[in-house]
Amino acid sequence: MSSENRLHFSASCSSPARRVLCVGAAVLDTLFRVRSLPTGQGKILPYDMLQVAEGMASSAAFAVARLGGHASLWGAVGEDATGERIIADLGNSGIDTSGMLRVAGARSAVSTILIDDQGERLIVPFYDAGLHDTAKPVTQQDVSSFDAVLVDVRWPKLALRTLSAAREAGKPAILDGDVAGEGVIEMLAPAASHIVFSQPAAERLTGTAELAKTVGLLKRKFEHAFISVTAGENGCFWFDDRSGKIVHLAAPKVRTVDTLAAGDIFHGAFALATAEGLPIAETMRMSSMAAALKCQVFGGRTGAPTRAEVCDALRGWSVGQQ
């Protein structure tokens, strides 16, 4: 390991705790582990199952907490038993849920997920449209105690207000650019300082499956922001604003058991590392390793690694950056 890498590694593993606000999805997931995903009609018998509260923002918040940060979540649940279970589960996982909204007359979000022996999944989610109909005002003061904010695309009204307040307060305003409804990304992106797209969302927005090309096209579209695309086992790509070049970081090689929430763990790690002020290359290494380690564990976001586990794995990772 070079002296420069040792310096960055030391920083990533010894930074003081930072506060990250996550805004968006809170879902009660039922995970079924199966030998293979179904291809037609019939009955399929799982050999393991787990119920856990997660969702993009919720899983990212859990990653922040596991990695040594202070995580707060603004999400919405119904005034029902499922909502109480979601809040209790997330609160017991070390996330500050005091900003959660309980919506009268709406049903809490639920999802059924099949995960096969190759770690791939089939997801059937349900979101009550009434959950995210309204959004409270968000001011600079509301976000002043946080070192970074991360929003997903599930609650666009609140996401936009939070990103805007964070930018006004001079805080990193990070958008999880996943597949969303028509016009949602275009509405949120101008308010973000950092956008980390999923591969499907990037392809949908640019009309190409060439990953490096998508980064360039997205940077031209949203030139004000840091732009990255995550691509699972194909690693991650980003536009380096200092050099003007597109950088590729290969993914760590792991035995994949469950890819559910891996992208969310990446986003949570990215938000925390950004809040800590780590160099972008180190931020991407830490985020990539956190996501990869999660993939080795069945259970969605419950597989998120600790900071010590990530740092141990980084010591032995010979990264290939292009």
Side-chain angles (χ1 to χ4, degrees):
M1 187 182 293
S2 70
S3 60
E4 181 182 12
N5 283 342
R6 279 196 297 271
L7 179 62
H8 290 169
F9 174 78
S10 176
S12 69
C13 293
S14 60
S15 297
R18 303 295 186 191
R19 296 176 56 84
V20 177
L21 170 63
C22 300
V23 178
V27 188
L28 182 63
D29 282 349
T30 301
L31 282 55
F32 292 109
R33 199 170 184 187
V34 298
R35 295 301 178 193
S36 60
L37 296 179
T39 56
Q41 297 182 10
K43 181 181 291 186
I44 184 168
L45 299 178
Y47 64 91
D48 200 358
M49 73 85 67
L50 173 69
Q51 286 190 309
V52 60
E54 45 190 4
M56 289 184 287
S58 299
S59 297
F62 183 64
V64 169
R66 287 283 284 171
L67 292 168
H70 297 297
S72 296
L73 178 67
W74 291 355
V77 298
E79 284 190 337
D80 51 26
T82 300
E84 292 305 316
R85 181 171 178 178
I86 289 170
I87 292 174
D89 190 355
L90 295 172
N92 291 336
S93 298
I95 300 167
D96 176 8
T97 59
S98 60
M100 293 289 290
L101 177 67
R102 294 167 173 84
V103 182
R107 290 169 290 177
S108 296
V110 294
S111 181
T112 297
I113 303 169
L114 303 183
I115 302 169
D116 70 14
D117 283 347
Q118 286 70 52
E120 296 304 322
R121 73 267 191 193
L122 175 66
I123 304 175
V124 184
F126 172 77
Y127 289 90
D128 189 325
L131 273 180
H132 302 136
D133 266 351
T134 61
K136 64 180 181 180
V138 182
T139 66
Q140 292 186 50
Q141 185 175 0
D142 293 325
V143 299
S144 62
S145 64
F146 300 104
D147 299 296
V149 304
L150 167 68
V151 308
D152 69 29
V153 295
R154 289 290 176 258
W155 197 351
K157 292 178 184 177
L158 185 60
L160 180 59
R161 293 177 183 181
T162 306
L163 289 173
S164 299
R167 289 293 295 276
E168 291 169 3
K171 310 284 186 179
I174 305 162
L175 170 61
D176 176 348
D178 203 357
V179 174
E182 189 70 30
V184 170
I185 293 290
E186 290 83 355
M187 178 183 73
L188 297 178
S193 61
H194 301 70
I195 311 174
V196 182
F197 291 95
S198 67
Q199 181 178 351
E203 292 178 358
R204 181 174 171 180
L205 285 167
T206 62
T208 178
E210 297 179 41
L211 289 166
K213 186 176 181 180
T214 66
V215 175
L217 291 171
L218 290 167
K219 182 63 180 180
R220 285 195 285 276
K221 188 176 181 69
F222 307 116
E223 59 183 14
H224 66 285
F226 168 82
I227 297 295
S228 174
V229 175
T230 61
E233 63 183 11
N234 293 316
C236 56
F237 297 75
W238 71 93
F239 187 90
D240 184 80
D241 291 300
R242 290 190 303 174
S243 67
K245 296 180 179 179
I246 296 168
V247 182
H248 174 228
L249 179 66
K253 296 185 182 302
V254 297
R255 179 181 176 274
T256 300
V257 172
D258 173 12
T259 60
L260 181 67
D264 308 328
I265 302 307
F266 186 106
H267 283 88
F270 180 91
L272 181 59
T274 301
E276 293 172 353
L278 295 183
I280 190 58
E282 191 63 21
T283 294
M284 301 306 275
R285 291 188 191 103
M286 174 176 156
S287 305
S288 296
M289 183 56 73
L293 293 177
K294 181 264 126 358
C295 289
Q296 297 182 117
V297 181
F298 169 72
R301 59 101 172 162
T302 64
T306 64
R307 191 63 165 256
E309 289 169 338
V310 171
C311 290
D312 285 346
L314 285 171
R315 287 191 188 93
W317 185 26
S318 177
V319 297
Q321 209 171 285
Q322 302 169 0

